[in-house]
Each structure stands twice: as structure tokens, then as C-alpha cells.
Amino acid sequence: MTISMYQSSVPVFIRELEILSNILAKAASHATEKKIEETVLLNSRLFPDMFPLVRQVQIACDAAKTGAARLAEVELPSFPDVEVTFAELQERIVKTVKFLESLKAEQIDGKEDLKISYTQRNKESNFIGQPYLLNYVLPNLYFHITTTYGILRHNGVDLGKKDYLGSY
Amino acid sequence: MTISMYQSSVPVFIRELEILSNILAKAASHATEKKIEETVLLNSRLFPDMFPLVRQVQIACDAAKTGAARLAEVELPSFPDVEVTFAELQERIVKTVKFLESLKAEQIDGKEDLKISYTQRNKESNFIGQPYLLNYVLPNLYFHITTTYGILRHNGVDLGKKDYLGSY
């Protein structure tokens, strides 16, 4: 096994989205069991000007999807932000994983020096492939998964570090 | 530039610890400005059975230090968990970065298939180099940095996503 741009991105993203899916499944069970309305958890935040849980999950999916698409130089699939239930968030994860699985190693390997430029909300961003992956996409993905975990823990959902780390 | 085990670990760890240091510096200024005792922030948690901020920072340092040492097959430097101020946490980060800087690329490159085995708290762990880095060390490091950020945001410290992502 040799580390590569593909190995450090797509399989890691898929693994992390599966972990996110398991965490959300536990949160949904907790809500049912404790008779908590799903929307209470989905709209929870760690601070008023931080994003609520539902948005954390959407952004985690988008970080993986967008990161992989830009590195592979393929069109970004667009998923509208319409989810209002845990089941719908699970569907979004499934869609994202399906897209990631459609990418082949040779589309991403060797993209260390790829120039990546895009304009988002009137702001131009310029990256190089390797730092884009290591210093932007991965930290961003982990941020939103950890924050999802933190919001749920803060609300008393019975999760542990093992749920975040997954099996290895 | 080519991605490698070294490139995906040591420089990333150093960058993340510098980001953590900047976040803690902002938290310390906030405490001074608002006349909040440092220990209040240092002992804050997102939930009673989660670690407080001081421990999150210690573990972030240890995740980087231990991950790099095991991949480089060098002795683990031991830093006792004694910090009780932001200044002391900053010193721990400095010590950790110094250790990371002492490692050379050739000590870590090519360690994709390295067998890593150790016993901690009576539990034996067995890893292979590449999944150890990608699926354990990096997610763990990001977890503790994001949770530090989350605890501080939850306590009203004026931080933004830029502080977490750093410059890129």
C-alpha cells in the first residue's frame, strides 16, 4: 500500500461519512426512545451564531463531495439543503457516498500540484491540490463531524469516542 | 510536491498545533478582557462526562507527538499532564512542535505498511502505518482541536471558522 492523493481523500471521506451516519442513527434512536422531537436535536447549536446540527451534516457531506470533485476535476453534483429529518440526512449521506464511489483512483492520484480556483459568494479562492486536501478539505470535514458529535453529546445523546473513531 | 507519509503527518500536525495555539491565545485575551478566571475556561466541558478544555489540548498535543513518534519508530517523549494556565498549555504546544521539528522526512516516509503495536491501559493495539495515520491519528487530532474550539465558542469566546482553518 502506498499513500496517494486518492488514498488520502476518497476512502477517508467515505469512512468518515459512514461514521457520521452511525452517529446520526444513534441520535435518531435516542430521540425516539426519550420522546424528543427530532427537530429539537436537528436545530441544536453550541452557540447562537454557530450552525445547527442539520447544517453541520450538510456541510460535512459537501466538504467531502466538493473536495473530491475538485481534485478529480469533474462537475460538482448539487444537493439542495432541504433536509428536515434524520432519515433525510441519511439519504444525503448515501447520495454523497455514491458520488464518491463513482470516482476512480486515477482521477485523483497525481493531483498534488493541481491548480484549483473557484469563486464562491463573490470570493475567489486559489489552492494547490495537496495543501487543498491536507490543510482545507480534511480539517473542514473533521470539523463538521466533530461538531455534530459535540452538539449531540451536549444534548445528552449516549455516544463515546469509539463512535467517532469507528473501527480500525 | 508529492504526497507522502511525512507530508501527511508532521507538517500537518505542526500547522494544526499552531492553529490551536492561536485559538488559545484568543481565549486567554478574552478571559483577561472580560475578567474571567482562566480556570473557568480551562475546566469547561460540553457535557459532564467529556474532558475539559485543558485535557482536550493535552490530548491534541499527545495525538501529534505519539502519532509522529510511532511512525518514525523513535522513543515517545513524555510530557506530564500538569498544565493549569493558558501559558502552560502554550509551553506544551511549543515542546510538542519542537519534538515534531526534530523528525526528518526519511524517518517517516515509506512507513505505509509499518506494523505498530503497543499496550496502553492493559489494552493491546495493533495498527498498520497508513491506516494508523489516516484513520486514527488525524481524526483524533482534529477531534481535540475542534472540541477545544467548540468549548470556547460555547463559552462566548469570539472565534470564527477562519481561526480554525488558519491561512491557506
Side-chain angles (χ1 to χ4, degrees), chain B residues 25-154:
Chain B
K26 286 203 172 185
S29 300
H30 174 92
T32 306
E33 203 180 299
K34 303 280 181 190
K35 299 191 176 31
I36 295 166
E37 282 187 45
E38 285 196 7
T39 47
V40 175
L41 293 181
L42 292 167
N43 293 318
S44 286
R45 319 169 183 251
L46 291 179
F47 200 66
D49 69 353
M50 285 182 82
F51 284 128
L53 185 132
V54 64
R55 196 81 196 93
Q56 300 291 345
V57 177
Q58 289 164 344
I59 303 178
C61 289
D62 287 357
K65 175 194 78 175
T66 308
R70 292 204 200 284
L71 286 169
E73 296 176 275
V74 300
E75 214 183 316
L76 285 181
S78 169
F79 301 151
D81 297 326
V82 294
E83 294 84 1
V84 293
T85 64
F86 279 112
E88 287 169 4
L89 287 177
Q90 293 287 3
E91 282 171 39
R92 185 171 185 134
I93 293 176
V94 169
K95 273 192 299 188
T96 307
V97 169
K98 245 184 215 160
F99 167 70
L100 293 169
E101 285 174 345
S102 77
L103 299 172
K104 289 179 182 35
E106 53 267 34
Q107 290 176 281
I108 291 183
D109 277 343
K111 294 285 178 74
E112 281 91 340
D113 298 319
L114 178 71
K115 280 188 185 149
I116 298 172
S117 298
Y118 56 90
T119 306
Q120 215 173 24
R121 291 181 227 104
N122 289 319
K123 197 193 156 254
E124 201 190 305
S125 293
N126 295 291
F127 287 99
I128 300 296
Q130 182 173 311
Y132 173 68
L133 173 61
L134 297 178
N135 301 339
Y136 182 74
V137 179
L138 283 167
N140 200 30
L141 176 65
Y142 287 118
F143 179 91
H144 293 289
I145 295 176
T146 302
T147 304
T148 298
Y149 175 96
I151 292 171
L152 291 170
R153 289 286 269 114
H154 185 62

